Amino acid sequence: MRSAFTFNANPARIVFGLGASANVAAEVSGLGCSRALVLSTPFQAEDAGKLAADLGAMAVGVFSEAAMHTPVDVTEKAMAAFEAAGADCVIALGGGSTIGLGKAIAYRNDAPQVVIATTYAGSEVTPILGQTENGLKTTVRDAKILPEVVIYDPNLTVGLPVPMSVTSGLNAMAHAVEAVYAENRNPVTTLMAVEGVRALRDALPGIVADPSNIEARSEALYGAWLCGTVLGTVGMALHHKICHTLGGTFDLPHAETHAIMLPHSAAYNAPAAAREMQPLADLFGGSIGGGMWDFAKSLNAPLALRDLQVQEADLDRAADIATQNPYWNPRPIERQAIRELLQRAFEGSRPE
Ligand code: NAD
C-alpha cells in the first residue's frame, strides 16, 4: 500500500529556456512592478550593469555587493539603496549569494523578486534564507522569502567555470539525494529528485568536456531546478547538517564542501534507506556512495576535506557538533560512525 503523504508545492513561476532572460521586463511588469533594483556580486557587476541598461527606465539602480552567507550589514546597505532609488522590486542575477541578498530584502520589506539563476545551487526555489551577523549564521523560513519569478536561461550559465559547474552540480544532487529519504517526502518530490539527479549525471560530463555545450548546460540547469525545488519542499538530514557544521565552523566553501561530503553521507544512509535510494543507486552503477564518488572523481571534483584546509585535529570537534541537537535522519546518528565518515572524507577515500 502507498504510504500516506502531504504535499505543499511552493507557488513560484518558473520561466525556463534558451534566451528566457530576454523576458525579464515582461516578468517585472507581470508582477505589477516598474522600478527594479538589480542585484549581483562584484564578480557579476558587469552583467548586472548590462541587464540594467537593457531594462532602461525599468531598472532604477544596481547594487553589486552581494556576498557569501548574506551578511546583515550588506543587506542593510542594499535596503538603503532600495529605498533611495524608490525601487518596487528586486532582480537578483547570480547564484546563491546574490539570491540570498534579494531574499533578505524581501524578508524585510516584502519586495517582489525576479531571480535569474546562474548556478546550480537551487536557492532561487526555496523559502529559506541563511544570513550571518557577528559571525553567526541563522536560518529563517518564510513565505515572503520565496522568489515570485525564476528565470532559467542556459546561455547565462556558459560562463560558469568548469570546477564551479561541477561542485555546484554535485551540491544540487545533494538536495535530491536527501529528498528521496526525507521524513516528509511525497511521490512528486521523489520523482523530481530522481529526475534531477539523472539530468545532472548526464549533463556534467558534457560540461567538463566542453563548457560551451549548450545542450549539457540546458540539461544541468533543468536538473538544478528540480533538485532546488525538492530542497525547498522537504526536510534535509545528515548531509546538510554536516555541511552546515563544517561550513560554519571552519568557514569552508559551500559547493566544494557539499561535493566532497555527498558520497560519504549517502553511503552512511544507504543501509537504512535502501529502498528509497535504489533509483539513485541505479544511476551510479548500483552503489550510491561508491558510484557517486567514482562519478565525482571522473569530473575532477575535489574529493578530500584536507584539500579545503581542514586540519585532521578539527575532525573530533566537527563530529561533536554534527551529532549535537538530534535531528531526523533515516539512520541513527552515531558519534563514532560519523567520526569515521569524516576521516574518510578528510582523506578523500572511496566509501564502500
Ligand atoms: P555564489 O552565488 O556564491 O557564486 C559564486 C561566484 O560565482 C560568485 O562570485 C558569483 O558571482 C559567480 N557566478 C555565479 N554564476 C556565474 C556564472 N554563470 N558565470 C560566472 N560566474 C558566476 O555560489 P552558489 O554556490 O550559487 O551559492 C552559495 C550560497 O548560496 C551559500 O551562501 C549558500 O548558503 C547559499 N544557498 C542557499 C540556499 C537556500 O535555500 N537558502 C540554497 C543553496 C545555497
Side-chain angles (χ1 to χ4, degrees):
M1 191 174 63
R2 193 165 280 286
S3 310
F5 63 88
T6 59
F7 176 32
N8 284 63
N10 286 322
R13 174 175 159 81
I14 308 298
V15 183
F16 186 100
L18 210 59
S21 55
N23 301 330
V24 187
E27 295 300 332
V28 169
S29 304
L31 290 170
C33 297
S34 58
R35 300 176 61 80
L37 178 66
V38 179
L39 309 173
S40 76
T41 61
F43 191 74
Q44 288 175 292
E46 206 179 307
D47 294 338
K50 188 175 171 310
L51 173 64
D54 290 347
L55 285 170
M58 199 173 249
V60 293
V62 177
F63 183 88
S64 54
E65 296 173 42
M68 193 90 158
H69 306 311
T70 327
V72 167
D73 55 336
V74 175
T75 301
E76 281 164 1
K77 251 177 113 175
M79 291 293 295
F82 185 96
E83 276 151 35
D88 62 5
C89 66
V90 293
I91 301 174
L93 172 68
S97 298
T98 303
I99 296 163
L101 177 61
K103 289 173 156 183
I105 294 172
Y107 181 54
R108 288 162 175 77
N109 68 7
D110 209 9
Q113 306 167 65
V114 175
V115 172
I116 307 172
T118 65
T119 72
Y120 308 134
S123 177
E124 65 281 357
V125 279
T126 82
I128 307 159
L129 164 66
Q131 37 186 4
T132 44
E133 190 166 23
N134 304 324
L136 211 75
K137 185 159 182 172
T138 51
T139 302
V140 277
R141 180 183 267 266
D142 191 293
K144 278 189 292 194
I145 292 169
L146 182 77
E148 280 75 4
V149 177
V150 180
I151 298 176
Y152 290 106
D153 184 344
N155 277 332
L156 301 188
T157 61
V158 169
L160 189 65
V162 166
M164 228 191 276
S165 302
V166 167
T167 53
S168 194
L170 294 170
N171 178 194
M173 281 189 178
H175 311 327
V177 170
E178 294 232 287
V180 300
Y181 54 62
E183 193 176 21
N184 59 346
R185 65 186 176 275
N186 67 64
V188 177
T189 51
T190 297
L191 286 168
M192 293 180 104
V194 175
E195 172 67 351
V197 173
R198 197 277 312 148
L200 283 157
R201 182 209 60 174
D202 288 353
L204 293 178
I207 292 172
V208 171
D210 173 10
S212 63
N213 178 339
I214 200 67
E215 275 179 35
R217 287 290 185 185
S218 175
E219 195 66 1
L221 199 54
Y222 161 71
W225 163 60
L226 292 166
C227 293
T229 300
V230 296
L231 169 70
T233 315
V234 299
M236 297 287 113
L238 174 72
H239 171 79
H240 283 72
K241 170 82 176 184
I242 289 186
C243 290
H244 289 165
T245 300
L246 291 169
T249 312
F250 306 111
D251 196 25
L252 302 186
H254 177 85
E256 286 89 333
T257 308
H258 274 272
I260 291 169
M261 292 310 304
L262 179 60
H264 300 282
S265 48
Y268 182 91
N269 279 335
R275 192 167 52 88
E276 290 80 4
M277 295 174 86
Q278 192 58 50
L280 298 180
D282 291 345
L283 292 172
F284 294 97
S287 145
I288 185 73
M292 284 193 122
W293 189 90
D294 294 340
F295 178 70
K297 190 166 191 282
S298 75
L299 301 173
N300 297 318
L303 296 172
L305 285 177
R306 60 153 57 104
D307 296 337
L308 300 186
Q309 315 303 328
V310 175
Q311 306 302 315
E312 195 164 3
D314 290 331
L315 298 181
D316 280 328
R317 189 155 66 99
D320 288 341
I321 304 172
T323 50
Q324 276 164 9
N325 306 324
Y327 49 93
W328 190 86
N329 190 63
R331 177 174 161 190
I333 311 285
E334 296 148 12
R335 166 77 176 60
Q336 184 55 30
I338 296 295
R339 178 64 183 78
E340 286 163 15
L341 176 160
L342 285 168
Q343 187 69 34
R344 284 191 293 277
F346 176 78
E347 291 167 3
S349 58
R350 186 181 190 272
E352 294 308 325

